[in-house]
Amino acid sequence: MKRRTFFQSAAAVPLAGALKGATAPSLETRIVRLKLEHTWTTTMSSSEYRDTLYAAYTRDGITGHGEGAPIVRYKEDAASAQKAVDSVRALLLAAPPLEFAKTMNQVFGRVPGEWAAKAAIDIALMDWVGQKLGIPLYSYFGLDPKDTPLTTFSIGIDTPEITRQKTREAEAYPVLKVKVGLATDEPTIEAVRSVTHKPLRVDANEGWKDKEEAVRKINWLEKQGVEFIEQPLAADRIEDTRWIRSRVHMPIIADEACQHASDIPKLREAYDGVNIKLDKSGGLLEAYRMIQIAKALGMKTMLGCMVSSSVSVTAAAHLSPLVDYADLDGNLLIANDPFRGVRVEKGKLVLPSRPGLGLTPVG
Ligand code: MG
């Protein structure tokens, strides 16, 4: 089935269900190829498309949509994610849907790894629950949609000329996130700064190898109006990161070093904050727990995303009233988003007020 046909049929399910009365619950999955507007380069990879896993959970005439972006670093791909969802389909279809937290605990217990698959399941269940209760997910979590933060717009690694062009194209976004971590860091930042004076946040994606060089670069970045640095060294170099932190003023945020709630306490001495992503945590419930733990430890909180459609980005955005920083632009980087959900107005995340995620299919 083509992507568009799948989404149209998924969107048509509530009507069909209502007309036919009670139908058997279903859980469909599809691997969807998202085309990038620009070739996307970080220290980890370079690509023109990304495959993510979609899940549609239908019950009582309501369809909940979920998505997870598999992360190569955690040895996942779209096919392994799809297989993981298939392995718990019987459990999910038999479980009472309003016992979603119990069900997700069972899924976490049964499926090793495969965090993107878990995220797709969790998001689909939570979208369904929100729709069933008739409330948007931010209300389910007790949040005020007016409290959403600004989101950054990300600039991938490229030549100075294309970096200038991308920076100009990002004019509507008041804060930018710039990818560094290769030998071209200074020319990249100078290219951005030749076009704009707006605040920047910088992500090294574990790209720097030498701690003294990291200190020099961070102190140089501070003079360039950079607000914080994300993941300067490899995730396992916690002691070296603590050493850097004691020599710079700029906050240091953990991304690759922080996948789950259990990672957070040990990061406290080396990092000022954590970047939480649904694709790493395994969904909204675990991400919510991580935000609360980080806050309790006095750390800054950030919600990030992978290259994804509006399904996953909107899910994360529903938790964003809780966090200090948002980097929720994965859907803005693609050319074929199958849904509309969260919007960005002058950089601020604007949440849909419809029940659940509040998604509408495109086309
Ligand atoms: Mg990052």
Coordinates of all heavy atoms in Angstrom, one line a residue, residues 177 179 203 205 230 255-256 275 277, ligand 1:
K177 N 19.9 26.3 15.9 CA 20.8 25.3 16.4 C 21.8 24.9 15.3 O 21.3 24.5 14.2 CB 20.1 24.1 16.9 CG 21.0 23.0 17.4 CD 20.2 22.0 18.3 CE 20.7 20.6 18.1 NZ 20.0 19.7 19.0
K179 N 24.9 22.6 13.9 CA 25.7 21.4 14.0 C 27.2 21.6 13.8 O 27.5 22.2 12.7 CB 25.2 20.3 13.1 CG 23.8 19.9 13.3 CD 23.6 19.0 14.5 CE 22.3 18.3 14.6 NZ 22.1 17.5 15.8
D203 N 25.6 22.1 18.6 CA 25.6 20.7 18.9 C 26.8 20.0 18.3 O 26.9 20.0 17.0 CB 24.3 20.0 18.4 CG 24.1 18.6 18.8 OD1 25.0 18.0 19.5 OD2 23.0 18.0 18.5
N205 N 27.5 16.8 18.7 CA 27.2 15.3 18.5 C 28.4 14.4 18.7 O 28.7 13.5 17.9 CB 26.7 15.1 17.0 CG 25.3 15.6 16.8 OD1 25.1 16.6 16.1 ND2 24.4 14.9 17.4
E230 N 25.9 21.3 23.1 CA 25.3 20.0 23.3 C 26.4 18.9 23.0 O 27.0 19.0 21.9 CB 24.1 19.8 22.4 CG 23.1 18.8 22.8 CD 21.9 18.9 21.8 OE1 21.3 20.0 21.6 OE2 21.6 17.8 21.3
D255 N 23.1 14.8 25.3 CA 22.2 14.2 24.3 C 22.4 12.7 24.2 O 21.8 11.9 24.8 CB 22.2 14.9 23.0 CG 21.1 14.4 22.0 OD1 20.4 13.4 22.4 OD2 21.0 14.9 20.9
E256 N 23.5 12.4 23.4 CA 23.8 11.0 23.3 C 24.1 10.3 24.6 O 23.9 9.1 24.8 CB 25.0 10.8 22.3 CG 24.7 11.0 20.8 CD 24.6 12.5 20.5 OE1 24.7 13.4 21.3 OE2 24.5 12.8 19.2
N275 N 19.0 16.5 27.0 CA 18.1 16.6 25.9 C 17.4 15.3 25.8 O 18.0 14.2 25.6 CB 19.0 16.8 24.6 CG 18.2 17.0 23.3 OD1 16.9 16.9 23.4 ND2 18.8 17.3 22.2
K277 N 14.5 12.8 24.1 CA 13.8 12.6 22.8 C 12.9 11.4 22.9 O 13.4 10.4 23.5 CB 14.8 12.4 21.7 CG 15.7 13.6 21.4 CD 16.7 13.2 20.3 CE 17.7 14.4 20.1 NZ 18.9 14.1 19.3
Ligands
MG1 MG 22.0 16.5 19.8

